[in-house]
Amino acid sequence: MSDSEMSEFASIVERIERGEVPMKNIERELICPICQELFTHPLILPCQHSVCHKCVKELLMPNHDDSLSTDAGSESSNPGSPRARVPSPSMEKLERLVRSGSISSPGWRRSSVTPRVTTFPCPGCQHDIDLGERGISMLFRNFTLESIVERYRQAARAAVAIMCNVCKPPVQEATKSCMDCKASFCNECFKMNHPWGTPKAQHEYVGPTTNFRPKVLMCPEHEMEKVNMYCEVCRRPVCHLCKLGGSHANHRVTSMSSAYKILKEKLSKSIHYLISKEDQVRTQISELDVLIHHTEENGQLAERRANEHFEHLFETLQERKTEMLRSIQQSRNLRVERLRTQVEEYQGMLENSGLVGYAQEVLKETDQSCFVQTAKLLHVRIQKATESLKTFQPAATPSFEEFVLDTSKEEILLKELSFSGVPEPPVIDLSRCCVYNEGLIHWRLSEDSLPTDHHIVEFRKLGAEEDEEEEPCWSATERVYGCSTVVSDLSSDSRYAFRVKSCRNGVFSPCSPEVTFHTPPAPVFGFLFNEKCGFSAERLQLSQRRDSVESVAGMSFLLAAERVQTGSYICLDYIIGDTGISHGRHYWAFRVQPNSYMVKVGVASDSKLTEWFHNPRDTSSPRYDHDSGHDSGSEDTCFEVSQPFTLVTVGMGRLFIPKASVSAAGDHSSRVLPMPQRIGVCLDYDAGRVFFYDADTMRLLYERQVDCSGTMYPAFGLLGGGAVHLEEFITAKRLSYL
């Protein structure tokens, strides 16, 4: 950084420290995520988010009392305090948060005796917050945020003066606030309450304020102890008792002054970077404004087009409705007319009416020639009426079944009616993918994407030499209706490319960006930690599933410390897998906790394990363990002769290659590698060799000869705080999809 940049950086820091940042621009950062009001006595959750003390107390722990409530009550009872009161949240608001998803009710855990909540999801990040037995009393008050909120309040009500808390009416305007008395005074009252020559004269006073914070931050777990260290694992201040025997005993801590310096420097640099990129930020804001404008215009256009399509559908339906109703009406009129005509004909068959009456009158004719002339036609009509009577048949049917509509298919089509645009491509989630002999592939869709019908996963094996002119041949899975699938029958020690595409209404999205995975060099070897062989329950904590082990300080080790004269001679605690290897090539993977002090990983032979684990050893003897704690590498020369283990050292964010394997003597830089996030081990039993890999990239880190005369087991050694987590294999993951 140049001198000009340094001076600019210094001026920026000074502006920030003097509070010259416009307060009105930061209101967004001062709003409680629960009550949506300015913070009141904010508490820092373990996830580093802050919430109001009253929100936690009244919403999440309604029956819990602590010392902070007294402080809050004393302030609110002061009639001279100009601080605006924040409305108390209610259970109704909490229920609204639960229904809206801001706070998910399944994350709550309540006692069966009292309604007290012991676990609740953070409204900012949704991580579960376990308050434990101490409840909210274990949380720190965020005094820095509280001070900023108070400055914001004062800036927002600059015209409102802070009045003296001691004056008798008429009350005078305060000129000072005593941080020890936690009250504001005018000049006269301050002199009367802080006379010279008394202890009160030594009280600390500041300008008029309503925010009284303690001088020293005390530990919430050890109330009489000041916090003087910073835990880098939990990212919170701790006291020396927390480090000696509390919950932070195995955590890495640093001094408060060092943490203050480092964090302040990081924060200042970050602020300086953002301020230096102000032009870029403004440009991007302008671009976002343009995008907002285009989004609004395109959204309105899409609405108009969708409305036009539905109006066209409505018009088509109305036309079909009018036409079909007209057909029904015409058919009804025709049938009624035919039936009425038939009724008239049948009424003519009645006596003294119609045809019968006319025939009766004809019978009265006495002139034979005239009778024959008329009766011939009348007889034909009478015969027809007689036949009609014998074979009665209505002239029309009353049923309108031919006009019944079957709209089930159309209803299904309308319900499935959706936009015919191309779906957005999914994105493969690398953090959740896992590839061994089989590949577990996860992907996600954008939050605003429309529902899809199914997905297709395509994959192909990448060769060493690929012809760029030829189109690559992709294999595809069956239709996948979720957001993950298992791809089987992958070759060992091969590179595969994967991609995913979505389908909606028969239209496929573009393929997701390709991701590449390297399969292990051998089939996956499944095992759990063995709790019966070499496992020290005093110094190692094994998970219930036996897939994780953590090193902790044991009482026997502390008692044996009286005989330890040199701190470097300490012991490793070993643990092995519960399944052995007697032939073939096998691969397994695991994660070493990043803050682990020392962890050794590798393989062990059963030929010496029984003698090794059951032979009494003196923890105070320098000859107790082959690893003295020094990185001289001298133990590597006789390693295979004296020990049943073949191990590589991992710790403090590094992986250390044994000295005997490095050709250049004294070249330590080639021996120290960054610790991979996942470490893989491959044992070739038949060839008598063990390989260590970066499991994410399958890069070979180290290999060596190993004596495979007996059964070999995965082996681990832990020292001084650390943890190992075995990988969850594909076979276990697949159970959740069956």
Side-chain angles (χ1 to χ4, degrees), residues 28 34 136 183 224 288 338 365 370 402 441 556 568 599 602 660:
R28 209 170 122 191
I34 295 181
I136 59 177
M224 303 302 295
L288 291 175
R338 290 177 179 176
E365 178 65 46
C370 291
E402 65 269 30
I441 307 300
S556 61
S568 61
V599 176

Side-chain angles (χ1 to χ4, degrees), residues 716-732:
F716 305 85
L718 296 92
L719 169 68
V724 177
H725 309 280
L726 300 180
E727 283 286 296
E728 188 177 2
F729 296 115
I730 296 297
T731 53

Side-chain angles (χ1 to χ4, degrees), residues 632 658-671:
S632 62
K659 185 176 180 180
S661 64
V662 181
S663 58
D667 185 9
H668 293 283
S669 61
S670 61
R671 296 182 54 202

Side-chain angles (χ1 to χ4, degrees), residues 297-532:
E297 287 186 344
N298 294 337
Q300 294 174 357
L301 178 61
E303 288 179 1
R304 288 198 300 269
R305 289 177 177 175
N307 189 58
E308 290 174 359
H309 283 295
F310 279 103
E311 289 294 338
H312 183 67
L313 285 176
F314 295 154
E315 291 176 1
T316 304
L317 285 174
Q318 188 64 36
E319 290 177 1
R320 294 296 299 158
K321 174 184 175 182
T322 303
E323 182 179 346
M324 298 188 77
L325 290 178
R326 185 185 302 113
S327 299
I328 294 174
Q329 186 176 8
Q330 291 176 352
S331 177
R332 182 193 63 189
N333 294 337
L334 180 61
R335 296 183 189 190
V336 170
E337 183 179 354
R338 290 177 179 176
L339 290 173
R340 285 177 177 172
T341 302
Q342 191 175 17
V343 168
E344 292 176 356
E345 291 178 356
Y346 274 71
Q347 285 178 345
M349 298 180 192
L350 299 178
E351 187 177 2
N352 299 324
S353 65
L355 180 64
V356 174
Y358 175 67
Q360 289 175 344
E361 292 297 326
V362 171
L363 288 175
K364 295 177 181 180
E365 178 65 46
T366 57
D367 188 339
Q368 294 182 355
S369 59
C370 291
F371 176 81
V372 171
Q373 183 182 13
T374 304
K376 180 62 178 178
L377 180 60
L378 181 61
H379 184 260
V380 172
R381 293 179 61 189
I382 292 294
Q383 282 184 331
K384 287 184 178 180
T386 303
E387 292 295 330
S388 174
L389 186 64
K390 292 180 180 179
T391 60
F392 175 74
Q393 184 69 32
T397 175
S399 174
F400 281 76
E401 291 182 355
E402 65 269 30
F403 293 99
V404 174
L405 286 175
D406 181 10
T407 60
S408 57
K409 294 181 180 179
E410 288 75 10
E411 289 178 3
I412 294 175
L413 290 175
L414 287 174
K415 289 179 180 179
E416 294 180 350
L417 185 65
S418 61
F419 299 102
S420 59
V422 179
E424 293 187 17
V427 177
I428 295 179
D429 189 352
L430 295 176
S431 62
R432 303 181 63 188
C433 293
C434 204
V435 175
Y436 295 100
N437 311 98
E438 298 174 321
L440 176 63
I441 307 300
H442 278 266
W443 58 90
R444 63 178 183 273
L445 302 173
S446 60
E447 295 181 357
D448 56 348
S449 63
L450 297 172
T452 57
D453 298 334
H454 62 271
H455 307 276
I456 299 293
V457 177
E458 298 180 341
F459 61 98
R460 65 187 180 96
K461 186 176 181 181
L462 302 177
E465 297 181 358
E466 295 185 351
D467 191 349
E468 297 182 355
E469 296 181 358
E470 294 184 2
E471 186 72 19
C473 181
W474 291 85
S475 301
T477 63
E478 298 291 334
R479 292 183 177 183
V480 180
Y481 296 96
C483 285
S484 63
T485 190
V486 174
V487 180
S488 305
D489 301 327
L490 301 180
S491 303
S492 299
D493 198 15
S494 302
R495 291 172 59 247
Y496 282 87
F498 294 87
R499 65 186 187 186
V500 185
K501 58 183 179 181
S502 303
C503 179
R504 183 175 65 241
N505 297 333
V507 179
F508 281 94
S509 71
C511 291
S512 66
E514 295 181 20
V515 297
T516 304
F517 292 100
H518 197 141
T519 58
V524 170
F525 179 66
F527 67 92
L528 297 173
F529 288 116
N530 191 339
E531 59 183 355
K532 299 180 180 179

Side-chain angles (χ1 to χ4, degrees), residues 147-390:
S147 299
I148 296 174
V149 171
E150 179 59 26
R151 292 205 301 270
Y152 176 83
R153 291 181 186 275
Q154 291 180 0
R157 55 164 195 237
V160 179
I162 297 177
M163 309 307 290
C164 177
N165 301 142
V166 183
C167 274
K168 295 180 181 179
V171 180
Q172 301 295 318
E173 183 176 344
T175 58
K176 299 181 182 67
S177 293
C178 179
M179 302 304 291
D180 295 276
C181 299
K182 296 184 178 180
S184 298
F185 302 89
C186 63
N187 285 331
E188 295 300 325
C189 292
F190 184 82
K191 292 176 182 179
M192 291 177 58
N193 286 270
H194 300 80
W196 289 102
T198 64
K200 285 190 174 183
Q202 307 299 321
H203 284 187
E204 178 186 359
Y205 64 90
V206 296
T209 183
T210 57
N211 180 35
F212 301 101
R213 52 190 285 183
K215 295 181 179 180
V216 180
L217 196 61
M218 308 301 289
C219 177
E221 296 185 22
H222 309 94
E223 298 177 355
M224 303 302 295
E225 299 294 331
K226 303 176 183 178
V227 293
N228 53 7
M229 291 180 285
Y230 181 79
C231 178
E232 296 184 357
V233 178
C234 300
R235 297 184 297 174
R236 61 177 296 172
V238 296
C239 69
H240 67 283
L241 293 181
C242 293
K243 175 59 180 173
L244 289 178
S247 57
H248 305 270
N250 295 318
H251 295 178
R252 183 177 178 180
V253 299
T254 185
S255 65
M256 189 63 70
S257 59
S258 176
Y260 170 80
K261 181 179 179 181
I262 293 173
L263 291 176
K264 188 169 185 179
E265 182 179 356
K266 287 183 178 179
L267 181 59
S268 301
K269 287 183 177 179
S270 300
I271 295 173
H272 170 69
Y273 175 81
L274 291 177
I275 294 177
S276 65
K277 299 294 183 180
E278 185 172 348
D279 292 339
Q280 181 179 347
V281 172
R282 293 185 183 278
T283 301
Q284 293 175 353
I285 291 175
S286 300
E287 293 177 359
L288 291 175
D289 289 336
V290 173
L291 288 177
I292 291 174
H293 178 69
H294 288 169
T295 301
E296 291 178 348
E297 287 186 344
N298 294 337
Q300 294 174 357
L301 178 61
E303 288 179 1
R304 288 198 300 269
R305 289 177 177 175
N307 189 58
E308 290 174 359
H309 283 295
F310 279 103
E311 289 294 338
H312 183 67
L313 285 176
F314 295 154
E315 291 176 1
T316 304
L317 285 174
Q318 188 64 36
E319 290 177 1
R320 294 296 299 158
K321 174 184 175 182
T322 303
E323 182 179 346
M324 298 188 77
L325 290 178
R326 185 185 302 113
S327 299
I328 294 174
Q329 186 176 8
Q330 291 176 352
S331 177
R332 182 193 63 189
N333 294 337
L334 180 61
R335 296 183 189 190
V336 170
E337 183 179 354
R338 290 177 179 176
L339 290 173
R340 285 177 177 172
T341 302
Q342 191 175 17
V343 168
E344 292 176 356
E345 291 178 356
Y346 274 71
Q347 285 178 345
M349 298 180 192
L350 299 178
E351 187 177 2
N352 299 324
S353 65
L355 180 64
V356 174
Y358 175 67
Q360 289 175 344
E361 292 297 326
V362 171
L363 288 175
K364 295 177 181 180
E365 178 65 46
T366 57
D367 188 339
Q368 294 182 355
S369 59
C370 291
F371 176 81
V372 171
Q373 183 182 13
T374 304
K376 180 62 178 178
L377 180 60
L378 181 61
H379 184 260
V380 172
R381 293 179 61 189
I382 292 294
Q383 282 184 331
K384 287 184 178 180
T386 303
E387 292 295 330
S388 174
L389 186 64
K390 292 180 180 179

Side-chain angles (χ1 to χ4, degrees), residues 588-607:
W588 59 94
F590 49 87
R591 291 181 294 108
V592 176
Q593 193 164 298
N595 62 335
S596 300
Y597 177 70
M598 180 186 291
V599 176
K600 286 182 173 286
V601 298
V603 295
S605 170
D606 70 338
S607 59

